Amino acid sequence: MILTVTMNPAYDMTYRVERFERGQAHRVRSVEQRIGGKGINVTRVLNQLGKYARATGFSDYAFAAAAELEMPVDFVHALPWVRRTVVISESEDGTATALWEPGARVSNPHAAEQLAVRVAGLLPDIDGLVISGSLPGGIEPSLPAEIARTAIAADVPTICDVDGEALRLATEVPGIVLMPNETELQRLTGMTPKTEDEVVAAAYPLIDRGVRAVIATRGAEGMVLVTADGAWSAVLPEPLAGNPTGAGDSATAAVIAALSDEPDPDWTAILTDAVATSAASVVIPVAGEFDRCLRANVAPTIRVEQLDLPTSQGTAP
């Protein structure tokens, strides 16, 4: 089993319009609502990949009940309500515009401890852990790192896909795998990497500090993987148009699926699969799903290139 942790879940709303124009009234062609949040999306993709996954985190009773209809869940009921995210998907060219609500504040002073204990109790039964998404108000940014540290001490491969101070604290957990996007990597390192080599230079000090791997997602420019043994880039020959919401979650699912199977993984194969799975999710209007046929078709076309590691070790921020 693979466990995902979503501390700030959401109801994902998708509005489909012909073409979206700022300042204009629009006739919505269709509306779809589903439970969401980054960890929820990862769980869905893992199920598509044939992996048994369970979702935990914070929620209210209504969200937990709705989630339980779709997947195995074990939430801590600590939120007074669950936020919404809205994606406006244009059928004309596949462009997507997203609006994110901030989410409710956790008022239960014991909520963080309850979640940490719940995850710790499941560790003997899981083969991988993903902690992803934003944190609700009232939760200290140290919680993802604390949970990750406990999991890695139990030899459970762990990915942290968080941002801000939570991401900085996660870098202090030896053995953790990080999957920041370009903006998150910039905020973390204080650098503005534009090229693949600059991404490696920004990420490598984190590896020197004990991070197991950094997989930097770069949108249409693919991904860059940095480990202590090497660095690689992977990109499609041509980017795919569509809804990028959830593409990073699909990549995360592909990575943790591989890490849960192999104690000594082939990182280039993992990187290729992550790019293929991410690309195959872009063509789906909603997050948490991917096109199986497209994933199989694009994988052989992905260009993987080995990059040079820095000759001198830097110091992470």
Side-chain angles (χ1 to χ4, degrees):
M1 181 177 71
I2 295 173
L3 185 66
T4 67
V5 179
T6 307
M7 299 189 194
N8 199 15
Y11 291 102
D12 288 342
M13 307 290 299
T14 301
Y15 293 162
R16 293 186 179 86
V17 300
E18 185 66 28
R19 184 164 60 119
F20 179 74
E21 296 183 27
R22 182 182 176 189
Q24 300 297 314
H26 299 81
R27 186 172 297 278
V28 178
R29 301 179 64 180
S30 65
V31 180
E32 182 171 343
Q33 175 178 295
R34 54 179 5 197
I35 60 167
K38 290 179 71 64
I40 298 291
N41 294 336
V42 172
T43 304
R44 282 199 181 98
V45 175
L46 283 168
N47 289 334
Q48 279 191 272
L49 292 171
K51 295 291 185 180
Y52 177 69
R54 175 177 291 184
T56 188
F58 300 123
S59 76
D60 62 6
Y61 286 96
F63 185 92
E68 195 169 8
L69 297 175
E70 183 180 345
M71 63 186 66
V73 299
D74 191 6
F75 284 104
V76 174
H77 300 145
L79 294 175
W81 49 270
V82 170
R83 67 193 177 115
R84 293 171 299 176
T85 64
V86 178
V87 172
I88 303 169
S89 179
E90 301 180 49
S91 57
E92 184 176 83
D93 61 2
T95 299
T97 303
L99 304 171
W100 311 128
E101 292 183 1
R105 182 179 182 85
V106 173
S107 57
N108 178 358
H110 306 293
E113 181 184 0
Q114 290 170 352
L115 180 59
V117 169
R118 189 157 302 186
V119 174
L122 292 169
L123 290 179
D125 301 317
I126 67 175
D127 302 305
L129 176 67
V130 173
I131 307 167
S132 57
S134 60
L135 306 184
I139 296 300
E140 293 295 327
S142 59
L143 183 58
E146 292 170 5
I147 293 175
R149 194 180 302 275
T150 302
I152 292 171
D155 292 326
V156 175
T158 300
I159 295 176
C160 240
D161 182 11
V162 293
D163 192 12
E165 180 66 4
L167 177 58
R168 188 192 69 78
L169 293 171
T171 67
E172 299 175 358
V173 181
I176 199 167
V177 176
L178 304 177
M179 295 191 65
N181 59 32
E182 285 186 298
T183 302
E184 292 164 349
L185 186 62
Q186 289 174 15
R187 284 196 287 259
L188 175 64
T189 64
M191 302 172 65
T192 307
K194 298 295 184 182
T195 67
E196 295 165 344
D197 289 333
E198 289 174 349
V199 171
V200 175
Y204 190 74
L206 305 174
I207 303 298
D208 191 40
R209 217 159 80 180
V211 171
R212 182 181 184 186
V214 176
I215 303 175
T217 58
R218 308 178 70 223
E221 296 181 345
M223 301 180 193
V224 172
L225 163 67
V226 185
T227 72
D229 297 323
W232 299 266
S233 66
V235 65
L236 288 172
E238 296 291 338
L240 298 176
N243 177 17
T245 305
D249 302 328
S250 294
T252 300
V255 174
I256 196 63
L259 294 178
S260 69
D261 284 337
E262 297 292 339
D264 188 19
D266 179 344
W267 284 107
T268 57
I270 290 177
L271 182 62
T272 300
D273 191 35
V275 172
T277 309
S278 176
S281 71
V282 170
V283 300
I284 304 296
V286 294
E289 296 181 15
F290 66 91
D291 186 315
R292 293 175 182 271
C293 292
L294 180 60
R295 174 174 174 257
N297 290 336
V298 302
T301 71
I302 293 171
R303 300 195 302 263
V304 178
E305 178 183 351
Q306 185 162 11
L307 306 172
D308 293 328
L309 292 176
T311 54
S312 61
Q313 297 178 350
T315 301

